[in-house]
Amino acid sequence: PGGGRKVVSGVGDLATVFERESDIEVMKRKIDSTRCVDRDPGAGDASAGAKSGDESGAWKERAWPTRAMPYPIPVQGDEVPLISIPKRPAWSRTMGKKEVEEKEEKVYAEWIKSVYETHPKDSLNFFEHNIEVWRQIWRSLEKADVVVLCLDARIPLFHFSDAMFEYITLDLKKEVVIVMNKVDMVHPDLVKKWRDYLVKKTGVPVIPFWVPRSTSGFVSQHGGVKELIEAIRGCSVARDGARLPASHFFDHAESPREQEDGAERDYMTVTLAGDPNMGKSSIINSIFGKKVVSSSSTPGHTKHFQTHFLSRRVCFCDSPGIVVPKLGVPKPLQVIFGSYRIAQVREPYSIIRYIAERC
């Protein structure tokens, strides 16, 4: 399996491409969904009330289950093997466009072949098969001086990729800040526990974040923006074989000079990366205090990476969402949390059943 797969390349509009399921697989799920729902009797018991000290009142009085449900996915690299991601092959400015792309296609084809030869297809999640999307990720991460990894606070480990984190920090040697977005949908106690866990796991700053809804072009800034900017300022940036504090670029806002080919940039770039539907575009809009990039609840709305200058020496880059290969991830969960477009779902019954069993 996997030996006959061709490199999928987007033509025209850059689109996410997942492995197509067979009709037999879809029919099996349909039949399985007709079984009587066996709900966990304790998971849905909301008889006990919970109180929180959150001043907003959003979580002041709310019923919570009396028994915690098991975490829905295995821990990558611990409970299941960690799958690597494709890495851009070495290139130089003396190489032509065709030569660079041929090297990329060869490396990518070997990688995706090895994924399917090493792991059973039914154990894999839906993950990105379009090399054009991977090229956007490679280039946006190479441009970065600091990478902001965006996670959904409701289920952070589902969206965190150890393979991507290692590629950024070890291979590219970039510093990382993690943003847990949508914390307004999670109990503050859980946000704190996840933040502590991720700080211990990664050793990088973890910033709770939420994006206020706005019906106009104005997007109000809030405390999360200030905390995120301070975390980025605390990182370091590689220049001329040394590392400069990122705060240098925030504090010295003179106009960037024209750069000769291959010269070091005198501005820094912050790239936002992560799964589709993490709110990366909305986070950038919050930082700028206005709508500078288009955002949508539809996964994969951002097609190409986009750059916007916050000041003359600080540039933010919004990259497309990318789904990396993982083992043991329930596919219904990918639909529920926006990693897979609802419009592409071939049967909704297994997803409805997955939710019903856990209500």
Side-chain angles (χ1 to χ4, degrees):
R5 284 182 171 80
K6 295 185 291 186
V7 173
V8 179
S9 180
V11 178
D13 191 25
L14 188 67
T16 288
V17 177
F18 294 128
E19 178 80 354
R20 188 179 187 276
E21 296 179 289
S22 69
D23 293 339
I24 295 175
E25 290 175 304
V26 174
M27 183 55 67
K28 282 182 178 178
R29 286 208 307 272
K30 281 185 178 181
I31 294 172
D32 181 67
S33 298
T34 62
R35 291 184 295 107
C36 180
V37 174
D38 180 22
R39 296 171 63 181
D40 182 344
D45 182 2
S47 59
K51 295 185 178 181
S52 170
D54 182 13
E55 294 179 359
S56 68
W59 298 102
K60 193 172 183 180
E61 294 283 350
R62 180 153 182 175
W64 291 96
T66 55
R67 180 154 60 96
M69 294 182 66
Y71 200 70
I73 60 170
V75 179
Q76 307 295 310
D78 183 7
E79 299 171 342
V80 293
L82 182 66
I83 302 176
S84 66
I85 63 171
K87 300 176 182 179
R88 190 183 189 191
W91 63 281
S92 68
R93 296 181 183 275
T94 60
M95 298 169 63
K97 180 175 183 287
K98 184 178 179 181
E99 184 182 0
V100 171
E101 290 184 346
E102 285 177 350
K103 285 187 68 175
E104 291 174 346
E105 288 173 5
K106 181 181 178 182
V107 167
Y108 177 79
E110 291 173 351
W111 169 77
I112 202 164
K113 179 182 177 182
S114 69
V115 170
Y116 281 102
E117 287 181 342
T118 307
H119 307 287
K121 180 183 172 183
D122 60 2
S123 69
L124 292 163
N125 63 336
F126 292 118
F127 67 94
E128 186 59 69
H129 283 63
N130 189 348
I131 189 175
E132 296 299 336
V133 178
W134 283 106
R135 281 175 169 148
Q136 291 289 309
I137 299 303
W138 291 336
R139 285 152 178 73
S140 63
L141 292 178
E142 283 184 0
K143 286 176 67 69
D145 292 298
V146 175
V147 177
V148 175
L149 280 181
C150 303
L151 311 178
D152 188 323
R154 293 171 292 179
I155 183 169
L157 275 191
F158 175 69
H159 303 287
F160 181 81
S161 167
D162 289 89
M164 180 67 77
F165 183 79
E166 290 176 4
Y167 175 61
I168 296 168
T169 56
L170 301 181
D171 292 85
L172 299 180
K173 301 188 182 336
K174 315 280 187 178
E175 295 200 7
V176 170
V177 174
I178 292 176
V179 165
M180 286 200 307
N181 196 18
K182 309 179 185 181
V183 297
D184 54 321
M185 303 176 72
V186 184
H187 193 285
D189 293 345
L190 292 179
V191 171
K192 183 181 184 305
K193 288 180 184 294
W194 275 120
R195 185 181 194 178
D196 293 344
Y197 173 85
L198 288 168
V199 167
K200 184 177 179 180
K201 177 181 175 67
T202 64
V204 305
V206 178
I207 310 301
F209 204 92
W210 62 283
V211 179
R213 291 186 178 274
S214 174
T215 56
S216 67
F218 176 77
V219 182
S220 61
Q221 291 186 321
H222 54 88
V225 172
K226 182 178 180 181
E227 190 175 359
L228 175 56
I229 293 296
E230 286 303 312
I232 296 171
R233 285 172 56 92
C235 294
S236 63
V237 173
R239 286 292 184 275
D240 298 318
R243 300 203 69 91
L244 295 175
S247 58
H248 169 82
F249 295 88
F250 283 87
D251 297 337
H252 298 80
E254 62 269 19
S255 177
R257 300 185 303 272
E258 290 293 327
Q259 301 295 308
E260 297 181 2
D261 196 29
E264 293 277 14
R265 292 170 294 147
D266 64 349
Y267 65 91
M268 68 171 288
T269 299
V270 181
T271 293
L272 274 71
D275 277 11
N277 210 30
M278 292 296 96
K280 296 184 290 295
S281 301
S282 297
I283 291 172
I284 286 183
N285 290 338
S286 289
I287 292 170
F288 279 72
K290 61 182 179 179
K291 187 173 183 178
V292 293
V293 291
S294 175
S295 61
S296 170
S297 59
T298 302
H301 180 72
T302 302
K303 303 296 185 183
H304 299 81
F305 72 78
Q306 308 168 47
T307 54
H308 300 271
F309 277 85
L310 180 66
S311 67
R312 292 175 175 176
R313 301 196 68 190
V314 179
C315 177
F316 277 80
C317 176
D318 185 17
S319 68
I322 188 81
V323 182
V324 305
K326 292 182 180 180
L327 295 170
V329 173
K331 289 180 178 177
L333 213 55
Q334 289 190 267
V335 179
I336 294 167
F337 283 95
S339 299
Y340 189 91
R341 286 175 181 251
I342 293 178
Q344 294 178 338
V345 173
R346 298 181 63 193
E347 57 81 22
Y349 313 109
S350 61
I351 300 162
I352 295 170
R353 180 186 181 84
Y354 186 89
I355 296 171
E357 288 177 334
R358 290 157 178 81
C359 287

